[in-house]
Amino acid sequence: MTTPPSPSKRSAIAPFIAMDVLSETRELERQGRRIVHMELGEPGAPAPLAVREAAARALAQGAIGYAEALGRPALRQRIARHYGEAYGVDVSPERVIVTTGSSGAFLLAFLAGFDPGARIAMTAPGYPAYANILASLGLEPVLIDVGAETLYSPTAALLEAAHRAKRLDGALLASPANPTGAMIPSDEFEKICAFCEDAGILFVSDEIYHGLSYERACETALAHSRNAIVVNSFSKYYAMTGWRLGWLVAPESLVRPMERLQQSLAISAPTLAQIAALEAFEAKAELEAVKAGYARSRALLLEHLPRLGFSDFAPPDGAFYIYADISRFSADSAAFCKRMLEEAGVAVTPGIDFDRARGKRMLRFSYAGAESEVRLGLDRLAAWLGAPRPTI
């Protein structure tokens, strides 16, 4: 009898619980249940019509081969132009690298920017895949707790304190952030960039939720630093999750190393998606209409969640999430979310996915789906919790 292979130590990472919740919801749906989906950060709207039409034309022509490792030149040029239009920042197309989603961008950034053992700061709560990718690559995530005292945003002072305790090699921060939706204030963002420059810390700025802010504009790290790595994606604002297309803007010194890595790890990002994505930048009216739907859903949740007992949550400045305290109901977010799914038919993500130490009292509501889904979710939660039904 042969011995089955043992998994590598690098594969011993935590599960991405939001995806586990999705699997549970799919099983319930196969049993005939109608589940309200508020667990994933996936836009309910399709990709813009012009994007889909461009893909159909390209498919009809039939020539969908490899693209250049750095990306199709036309798309790299259009992305660079976007930074001038959206932020007033001049970016050379030579610094733009098109990737297989933001996930591919993070892999290139971590592999090109850090050697094994490097210490990279990130916030808790934060996107769980950050720490998992870092750990699988032999890098050390350094968790910096953020909470109500800093409006769930990191500060330069927090980074400096962590760096003084033990040297940091990098910092990975998001604004707007997942799971909180919190945005780093402009003056603090500038201080963070300046501190990282002065301390020799490579700053990786996750900007994949740019375009999805409701009361103030998003700001790019490129406005303050030429040495930062900026990651963005077509998945969120542009509603192209399954197209698996993202990009990064790299310092000149890292472009060729990233190109070499891309050549071997992915060859290139999906060519069909690259062809179609050119049209995404011209679909602003359609995309802003989708965003207006998120804004209405956000307003519904901000009004009605406190009436249901979810009155303490992070400032939902951007993205499409509300990260809420459930201490009034439970000290075990995983068990509470499981009951909510099974008994109320509403799927959300427990806070332990984003913060292992403090997430037992938190959960994340996503309002990325249709406004009607949010309304139904609120109605079901009111019935489940024995609260007055919302008039919406």
Side-chain angles (χ1 to χ4, degrees), residues 114-120 137-140 169:
F114 305 108
D115 289 317
R119 305 178 74 251
I120 293 89
L137 295 177
L139 305 170
E140 182 183 348
D169 300 289

Side-chain angles (χ1 to χ4, degrees), residues 138-318:
L139 305 170
E140 182 183 348
V142 179
L143 299 182
I144 295 179
D145 291 339
V146 295
E149 66 283 355
T150 62
L151 299 178
Y152 284 87
S153 286
T155 65
L158 287 172
L159 276 178
E160 185 175 357
H163 186 60
R164 281 201 310 267
K166 187 174 181 181
R167 175 174 172 77
L168 296 173
D169 300 289
L172 169 58
L173 305 176
S175 180
N178 178 8
T180 61
M183 291 170 60
I184 302 172
S186 179
D187 59 342
E188 196 64 50
F189 201 32
E190 185 173 1
K191 291 176 185 176
I192 287 170
C193 289
F195 170 71
C196 288
E197 292 270 354
D198 292 343
I201 293 170
L202 179 57
F203 179 32
V204 182
S205 181
D206 178 352
E207 301 180 2
I208 71 170
Y209 291 100
H210 274 213
L212 298 176
S213 61
Y214 304 98
E215 295 175 8
R216 58 188 173 92
C218 298
E219 188 171 9
T220 178
L222 298 174
H224 306 298
S225 173
R226 285 187 61 86
N227 292 322
I229 297 175
V230 163
V231 174
N232 209 324
S233 170
F234 288 94
S235 290
K236 306 301 183 180
Y237 177 73
Y238 300 99
M240 294 175 63
T241 51
W243 299 70
R244 305 314 304 134
L245 199 66
W247 75 82
L248 56 77
V249 181
E252 291 89 342
S253 60
L254 294 182
V255 172
R256 178 56 178 163
M258 289 184 180
E259 182 179 23
R260 294 195 301 263
L261 288 163
Q262 179 92 310
Q263 288 168 345
S264 292
L265 292 176
I267 298 180
S268 66
T271 300
L272 180 63
Q274 291 194 56
I275 293 169
L278 270 174
E279 299 296 333
F281 293 102
E282 317 310 322
K284 187 166 185 179
E286 186 177 347
L287 293 168
E288 285 296 304
V290 172
K291 177 182 170 181
Y294 300 148
R296 290 190 297 271
S297 294
R298 174 179 178 268
L300 284 170
L301 290 169
L302 292 181
E303 178 183 359
H304 292 289
L305 283 180
R307 297 176 182 176
L308 299 180
F310 303 99
S311 56
D312 184 7
F313 43 76
D317 302 319

Side-chain angles (χ1 to χ4, degrees), residues 79-91 217-220 222-224:
I79 291 169
R81 192 177 117 204
H82 166 72
Y83 281 91
E85 294 171 347
Y87 310 102
V89 173
D90 183 24
V91 171
C218 298
E219 188 171 9
T220 178
L222 298 174
H224 306 298

Side-chain angles (χ1 to χ4, degrees), residues 60-147:
Q61 294 169 2
I64 310 295
Y66 292 130
E68 298 91 328
L70 291 175
R72 289 170 58 87
L75 183 57
R76 295 172 70 201
Q77 290 165 7
R78 186 62 187 88
I79 291 169
R81 192 177 117 204
H82 166 72
Y83 281 91
E85 294 171 347
Y87 310 102
V89 173
D90 183 24
V91 171
S92 167
E94 302 302 313
R95 295 175 60 196
V96 176
I97 302 171
V98 183
T99 60
T100 50
S102 63
S103 300
F106 286 121
L107 282 172
L108 292 183
F110 298 159
L111 287 169
F114 305 108
D115 289 317
R119 305 178 74 251
I120 293 89
M122 54 175 284
T123 62
Y127 179 53
Y130 290 157
N132 290 344
I133 296 171
L134 289 170
S136 70
L137 295 177
L139 305 170
E140 182 183 348
V142 179
L143 299 182
I144 295 179
D145 291 339
V146 295

